[in-house]
Amino acid sequence: MENPVSHIKTISELHNIFGLSKPKHPLVSVVRHSDMRIDSVFSNQRFSLDMYIISLKGNQEATLKYGRNTYDFQEGSMVFIAPNQVIASSSSDFSKTQDEWTIIVHSDFIQRVGLQDSIRQYRFFDYEEMESLHLSDDEKKSLTEIIHKIEAEYHQRIDKHTDEIIAINLESLLKYCLRYYERQFITRKTQNKGLLIQFENFLNNYMQAELAEKGKPSVTQCGEALNLSPYYLSDLLKAETGKSTKEHIDLALINRAKNRLLQSNESISEIAYGLGFDYPNHFSKLFKSKTGMSPKEFRTLN
């Protein structure tokens, strides 16, 4: 039986759990893993927070699994956690090397400085830990320099400019992380090709065997089939093909629809139901949005 989930509402509470001194800023804090107390009380617990967490794990020999493939990394990795996500911790999660840090940003701060809309574009907060960002030493250095600026800002006397300057540096940190993730998709092209083949095979098999009964597959189902989070899969596909998971699903449906329109005497409604649509007009709307013509017009012209 799993341990119950503890909900942590404030940065002060989190500092207390880690055995750290009182935070200098009530809504933003940078902590060094070497300063943290990871004991049996905290270890192996499940919890959620009202905070965004960005953690840099330093140089350590480790093995990471992406999909069905395994990779070794030694230079470092980053993990991103959004508010209210349930996470589990263990003392083994922290090697406590000097270059490891975690920045904690309360959701109230995001609201206060007007970042609540822009932060949604950083979909890596919804990635799984196995899909963490791997960094070179130079990349770690550039991110750590930004962290130093945030620390320096709240360590001096807090004034009316403090939150704005912290917000600017936080956005800079996130933009660099986005750049590095995009780099990671590029440098992992060989491994990604294998995932693309798995995705195409899953989609083809699903369309043939399960589509009529279960309806079109969801983005989540596609991710689960490849042991990836739906957000990571969609971003990977976008980087490799220029199309998201949903766009791939819709394209596969349209291709099957075209074949049935041209190779059978089925009515438009019969084709729609055979493709897993509950309502024929939903099928017709999707078909026209993707081809520029209705199913009937397509059949007539071809």
Side-chain angles (χ1 to χ4, degrees), residues 28 37 45 103 106 121 147 165 170 242 256 264 283:
V28 180
R37 182 195 69 213
Q45 298 299 307
I103 180 169
H106 201 283
Q121 72 177 292
I147 288 296
I165 293 172
L170 178 61
R256 291 185 69 81
S264 76
F283 161 64

Side-chain angles (χ1 to χ4, degrees), residues 135-199:
L135 301 171
S136 68
D137 283 334
D138 286 342
E139 290 167 347
K140 283 195 307 179
K141 182 179 178 180
S142 67
L143 297 182
T144 301
E145 287 173 353
I146 297 173
I147 288 296
H148 287 159
K149 292 179 182 178
I150 293 174
E151 281 184 298
E153 186 58 36
Y154 68 64
H155 273 293
Q156 64 183 339
R157 183 178 179 183
I158 294 177
D159 58 28
K160 65 180 181 179
H161 301 290
T162 301
D163 285 357
E164 181 183 1
I165 293 172
I166 291 175
I168 290 170
N169 281 286
L170 178 61
E171 275 207 284
S172 181
L173 178 75
L174 293 172
K175 288 181 184 297
Y176 272 106
C177 290
L178 181 61
R179 168 187 278 181
Y180 297 154
Y181 253 121
E182 290 173 351
R183 180 268 308 158
Q184 183 165 293
F185 284 126
I186 294 171
T187 58
R188 292 186 179 275
K189 276 190 174 292
T190 301
Q191 295 91 336
N192 291 347
K193 293 297 182 185
L195 290 172
L196 284 176
I197 293 171
Q198 291 177 37
F199 172 68

Side-chain angles (χ1 to χ4, degrees), residues 2 11 36 48 96 110 188 215 220 245:
E2 290 185 318
I11 288 181
M36 294 163 60
S48 64
K96 300 186 74 169
I110 299 298
R188 292 186 179 275
T220 298
T245 309

